[in-house]
Amino acid sequence: MTGLVLLLIIIVNFILESTIIHYFNIFGVVPNTALIVTVIIALLKGKNVGSIVGLISGLLQDIIFSPVIGINGFILFFTGFLIGFMEGKLSKDNILIPIMLNLISTIGYHLLYSLFLYFLAYNISIIAFFKEVVLFEMVYNGVISVLVFKGFSKIFIIPPIRFGKR
């Protein structure tokens, strides 16, 4: 059941990302919903599920948006694994955890992506790119991660059973 839900989340995210999300740009920046979904699922479900979701989401992103196949898949796989590795050590009740993880993941994602493009001989001004794109995307991803975390925590976290009056 959980695998089917995860596959449905990946497919819906991919459809939204390739059709509707680009209409929600602010200063020419759109949120990286594949990164947000990977971070939240890795936080909620662990490193194995997070890395698989990251790999599939990243490869789908590569097929549609990237000039080189495999970069997003690798970066999101690595992100899902690292965040899922910390799953047991982080509180799932604190709303600041997914925000901070998405902020850090957005920076790491763009640093790794820029590094890959540099070695593939693509000319990119990393300082201008960080000023114009990454800072806005960090804020955008942080805000959206709150909504996604609230929705996914209702799906994936089983509420504790309470006996007695309260």
Side-chain angles (χ1 to χ4, degrees):
M1 178 68 176
T2 304
L4 186 62
V5 171
L6 289 171
L7 185 63
L8 185 64
I9 288 170
I10 292 169
I11 291 171
V12 167
N13 177 57
F14 176 68
I15 291 170
L16 289 175
E17 201 170 36
S18 60
T19 57
I20 297 173
I21 295 292
H22 68 275
Y23 291 115
F24 295 101
N25 66 7
I26 297 176
F27 301 116
V29 176
V30 294
N32 189 344
T33 57
L35 179 66
I36 295 169
V37 167
T38 300
V39 168
I40 300 299
I41 288 179
L43 178 63
L44 294 174
K45 298 300 284 180
K47 65 183 176 185
N48 293 333
V49 175
S51 58
I52 290 169
V53 167
L55 180 65
I56 294 170
S57 298
L59 288 176
L60 288 173
Q61 256 188 344
D62 284 334
I63 290 169
I64 298 296
F65 304 118
S66 184
V68 179
I69 303 282
I71 294 176
N72 285 314
F74 174 76
I75 294 171
L76 292 180
F77 173 83
F78 188 65
T79 303
F81 183 81
L82 285 179
I83 291 178
F85 192 74
M86 299 183 295
E87 172 234 355
K89 298 169 185 67
L90 298 173
S91 170
K92 295 176 185 162
D93 297 332
N94 191 349
I95 197 68
L96 292 176
I97 299 293
I99 294 172
M100 293 306 296
L101 288 175
N102 269 298
L103 295 177
I104 293 167
S105 297
T106 302
I107 293 171
Y109 171 84
H110 284 292
L111 283 174
L112 284 172
Y113 197 84
S114 299
L115 184 69
F116 275 113
L117 290 182
Y118 173 77
F119 284 119
L120 292 171
Y122 283 88
N123 189 12
I124 186 169
S125 172
I126 193 161
I127 295 173
F129 182 69
F130 267 79
K131 284 182 187 177
E132 296 170 7
V133 175
V134 176
L135 293 176
F136 292 116
E137 189 175 317
M138 283 173 53
V139 174
Y140 213 170
N141 285 354
V143 169
I144 291 176
S145 69
V146 172
L147 303 172
V148 173
F149 181 72
K150 293 242 185 219
F152 284 5
S153 61
K154 289 181 182 177
I155 296 171
F156 294 116
I157 295 178
I158 300 169
I161 298 174
R162 293 182 145 185
F163 295 103
K165 294 182 180 180
R166 264 222 158 188

